[in-house]
């Protein structure tokens, strides 16, 4: 059995753990769980470190449980938040849970016959019929208010760092999360909780509740991964346009691939250990190769390939690479036509955009590409010269003549014209 703690340690995925955790993991197959709130119908890359922990856990011979917080998701966790979360209805939570399971099944084996096959549980199943009086009597009496107030997540919200204070609903969150651990321990023998380091306070409430409720000798442990940041100290996984999602309808495989391709050298060296399953000797060799010639961006390319293939598919990776080559390499009109509209928009989002009326269709290219307000060519005569030298392309095909008519048949997705001046100078005309 591979040493799970050692695996996390060399990958930079270990923040802290309770004494005795590593010894327990070495002597038996351990059931461990990680919780995620189903506040959306997709995970984003901020969740990936936790999911990779479960993946490594299963590969080291232990049994992973993914807990979807259907009940706790209705409340919201105060850890690291300054505002209370919107409450979701049961139908939305169920939809989100099913979508998340589909995503996570690419990382974990839920269907095998092995004793350590992954399980998915939802705390709504055991909380929905739990009355407030029962909860107060069976759970609340074991944990003092003093103990709960000492947690950082509570102290920060009460110290004035957030003006809104802390509602009673959110204050009870750590008891609910603690009860999850108690329930899983009692029902399924789950002895270890995994999570991000900002969850340490809530997680240790669970071990405390288990010991006070069941026995001081009860073996229950916590282990956390560090919060992932970028080299500049900013939060990982956020871009100007928002989260990088695992769902292709929210973030296209092309945009997903580009995110990893564009990380810094320092981040690539860190992320390839955390977000791939590559072995240590392979990663060490890639790091060495990258340091010899950073300009080739060996780490970024391998990182982007591994993560895109794992989250999406080999086919999506191939398309993302082909889409990247449209801007930066040789490609054809056929490559353009293979892109779905969202990917097409992602590829060309940073090139100048111009809008024209569909009335221009049928007119010569020199007139269509030099409408008032366009800055594609300095003048019509300059465009004529460029066309003569083979320096202008429409939809990746060289323009044969400056007065070649632009027709509806030239439109990509029924509305786009891609004009290329020289090798890398693009403009996108949207015909409305």
């Amino acid at each position: 059995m591979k040493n799970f703690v050692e695996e996390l340690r060399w990958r930079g995925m270990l923040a802290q753990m309770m004494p005795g955790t590593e010894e327990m993991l070495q002597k038996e197959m351990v059931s461990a769980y990680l919780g995620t709130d189903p506040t959306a119908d997709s995970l984003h890359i901020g969740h990936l470190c936790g999911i990779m922990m479960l993946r490594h856990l299963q590969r080291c011979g232990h049994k992973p449980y993914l807990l979807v917080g259907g009940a706790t998701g209705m409340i919201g966790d105060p850890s690291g938040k300054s505002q209370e979360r919107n409450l979701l209805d049961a139908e939305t939570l169920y939809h989100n849970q099913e979508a998340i399971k589909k995503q996570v099944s690419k990382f974990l084996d839920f269907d095998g016959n092995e004793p350590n096959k992954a399980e998915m549980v939802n705390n709504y199943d055991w909380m929905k019929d739990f009355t407030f009086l029962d909860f107060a009597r069976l759970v609340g009496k074991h944990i003092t208010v003093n103990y709960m107030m000492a947690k950082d997540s509570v102290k920060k919200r009460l110290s004035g760092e957030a003006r809104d204070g802390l509602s009673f609903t959110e204050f009870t969150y750590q008891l609910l999360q603690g009860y999850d651990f108690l329930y899983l321990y009692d029902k399924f023998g789950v002895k270890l909780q995994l999570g991000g380091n900002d969850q340490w306070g809530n997680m240790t409430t669970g071990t405390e509740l288990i010991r006070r409720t069941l026995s001081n000798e009860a073996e229950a442990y916590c282990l956390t991964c560090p919060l992932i940041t970028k080299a500049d100290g900013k939060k990982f996984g956020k871009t100007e346009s928002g989260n990088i999602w695992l769902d292709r309808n929210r973030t296209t495989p092309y945009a997903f691939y580009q995110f990893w391709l564009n990380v810094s050298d320092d981040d690539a060296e860190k992320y390839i250990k955390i977000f791939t399953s590559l072995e240590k000797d392979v990663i060490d060799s890639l790091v060495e190769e990258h340091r010899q010639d950073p300009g080739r961006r060996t780490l970024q390319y391998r990182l982007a390939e591994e993560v895109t293939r794992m989250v999406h598919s080999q086919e999506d990776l191939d398309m993302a690479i082909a889409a990247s080559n449209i801007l930066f390499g040789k490609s054809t009109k056929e490559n353009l036509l293979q892109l779905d509209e969202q990917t097409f928009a992602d590829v060309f989002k940073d090139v100048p955009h111009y809008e024209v009326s569909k009335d221009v269709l049928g007119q010569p290219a020199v007139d269509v590409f030099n409408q008032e307000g366009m800055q594609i060519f300095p003048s019509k005569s300059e465009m004529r010269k460029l066309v003569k030298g083979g320096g202008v392309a429409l939809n990746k095909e060289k323009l044969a003549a400056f007065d070649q008519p632009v027709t509806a048949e030239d439109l990509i997705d029924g509305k786009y014209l891609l004009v290329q001046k020289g090798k890398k100078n693009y403009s996108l005309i949207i015909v409305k």
Side-chain angles (χ1 to χ4, degrees):
M1 194 185 282
K2 267 174 93 175
N3 185 324
F4 173 60
V5 172
E6 192 48 50
E7 186 75 12
L8 296 186
R9 197 176 274 127
W10 78 259
R11 289 183 182 276
M13 295 172 72
L14 181 64
Q16 58 182 325
M17 60 181 170
M18 293 176 70
T21 305
E22 188 167 8
E23 293 78 358
M24 175 190 65
L25 284 158
Q26 282 297 90
K27 73 181 183 190
E28 60 187 89
M29 183 186 86
V30 173
S31 293
Y33 90 95
L34 178 130
T36 184
D37 279 348
T39 44
D41 61 1
S42 173
L43 300 176
H44 53 73
I45 57 174
H47 296 107
L48 263 187
C49 185
I51 301 302
M52 290 303 292
M53 285 173 86
L54 288 179
R55 182 177 173 89
H56 292 308
L57 180 92
Q58 190 171 38
R59 290 185 158 203
C60 289
H62 302 292
K63 186 174 177 71
Y65 281 77
L66 180 69
L67 181 141
V68 175
T72 38
M74 289 179 164
I75 292 173
D77 174 9
S79 304
K81 309 283 192 311
S82 56
Q83 290 181 319
E84 191 153 345
R85 189 175 282 169
N86 292 332
L87 310 188
L88 302 175
D89 60 70
E91 190 181 341
T92 305
L93 286 165
Y94 180 75
H95 165 75
N96 293 354
Q97 173 193 322
E98 292 306 298
I100 288 169
K101 182 171 183 181
K102 192 174 175 186
Q103 287 180 341
V104 177
S105 61
K106 292 185 176 179
F107 297 81
L108 303 176
D109 181 8
F110 285 94
D111 303 316
N113 297 317
E114 302 298 320
N116 71 325
K117 75 168 188 163
E119 308 283 354
M120 189 171 196
V121 290
N122 186 339
N123 62 11
Y124 183 71
D125 293 338
W126 56 84
M127 292 305 302
K128 66 179 186 291
D129 298 321
F130 208 162
T131 68
F132 179 77
L133 288 175
D134 284 342
F135 187 80
R137 191 166 59 87
L138 298 173
V139 180
K141 73 172 187 179
H142 291 290
I143 303 291
T144 67
V145 171
N146 305 38
Y147 179 87
M148 294 171 73
M149 296 279 282
K151 301 292 185 182
D152 282 344
S153 58
V154 174
K155 281 200 288 193
K156 282 179 183 170
R157 288 287 291 273
L158 294 177
S159 66
E161 289 177 34
R163 286 188 218 155
D164 297 340
L166 186 67
S167 70
F168 174 76
T169 304
E170 283 190 302
F171 184 57
T172 59
Y173 187 95
Q174 62 171 291
L175 286 183
L176 290 166
Q177 186 170 331
Y179 182 73
D180 286 342
F181 198 176
L182 171 61
Y183 181 89
L184 293 174
Y185 182 96
D186 203 28
K187 185 149 180 89
F188 302 114
V190 174
K191 293 183 177 180
L192 176 64
Q193 184 178 174
L194 307 173
N197 209 30
D198 60 336
Q199 289 288 311
W200 183 258
N202 288 346
M203 290 164 69
T204 51
T205 298
T207 60
E208 191 67 19
L209 189 59
I210 288 168
R211 291 193 178 101
R212 292 187 184 188
T213 307
L214 301 175
S215 158
N216 276 329
E217 307 302 314
E219 280 191 293
Y221 300 91
C222 301
L223 182 154
T224 61
C225 61
L227 296 179
I228 312 301
T229 54
K230 294 192 282 191
D232 60 9
K234 289 181 183 169
K235 193 170 182 181
F236 163 76
K238 292 270 189 181
T239 63
E240 286 176 19
S241 55
N243 285 318
I244 303 294
W245 298 91
L246 307 195
D247 183 337
R248 62 187 307 117
N249 296 315
R250 289 169 174 257
T251 301
T252 62
Y254 165 78
F256 187 85
Y257 175 81
Q258 286 293 319
F259 170 82
W260 299 101
L261 201 57
N262 290 315
V263 301
S264 70
D265 287 352
D266 287 345
D267 284 339
E269 198 168 311
K270 183 166 74 169
Y271 295 166
I272 201 161
K273 295 175 184 172
I274 296 170
F275 299 112
T276 78
S277 296
L278 295 174
E279 297 294 341
K280 189 174 189 303
D281 56 340
V282 176
I283 290 176
D284 289 344
S285 148
L286 286 166
V287 168
E288 185 55 38
E289 189 183 333
H290 184 93
R291 287 176 180 172
Q292 297 292 330
D293 185 1
R296 288 181 59 205
R297 298 175 68 76
T298 303
L299 282 176
Q300 283 91 339
Y301 276 105
R302 187 62 183 272
L303 171 67
E305 285 172 17
E306 293 289 331
V307 185
T308 305
R309 187 189 298 112
M310 183 167 58
V311 169
H312 293 291
S313 67
Q314 180 64 46
E315 187 183 7
D316 287 325
L317 170 61
D318 293 342
M319 196 192 79
I321 293 171
S324 301
N325 289 336
I326 287 170
L327 274 183
F328 309 114
K330 289 182 179 177
S331 57
T332 63
K333 183 177 182 180
E334 189 183 346
N335 298 133
L336 274 185
L337 295 173
Q338 284 171 347
L339 303 181
D340 60 74
E341 188 173 349
Q342 186 55 56
T343 303
F344 184 91
D346 279 344
V347 171
F348 297 106
K349 69 179 170 52
D350 295 324
V351 309
H353 284 50
Y354 302 101
E355 286 188 9
V356 297
S357 162
K358 62 174 182 281
D359 299 341
V360 304
L361 295 175
Q363 294 181 23
V366 70
D367 293 330
V368 176
F369 301 162
N370 288 279
Q371 299 278 312
E372 189 179 341
M374 282 189 185
Q375 296 167 338
I376 303 175
F377 301 98
S379 65
K380 289 186 179 183
S381 59
E382 285 292 325
M383 179 181 159
R384 287 191 186 102
K385 281 185 204 167
L386 279 167
V387 171
K388 202 170 183 182
V392 178
L394 170 61
N395 301 336
K396 302 301 272 187
E397 292 181 337
K398 281 189 179 173
L399 214 57
F402 71 87
D403 57 355
Q404 176 182 318
V406 177
T407 69
E409 287 181 12
D410 292 314
L411 297 177
I412 293 171
D413 285 328
K415 61 179 175 182
Y416 299 115
L417 297 168
L418 181 68
V419 182
Q420 187 176 353
K421 183 174 69 176
K423 281 189 176 178
K424 294 181 180 176
N425 201 324
Y426 293 92
S427 297
L428 191 65
I429 299 174
I430 303 164
V431 180
K432 291 193 167 179

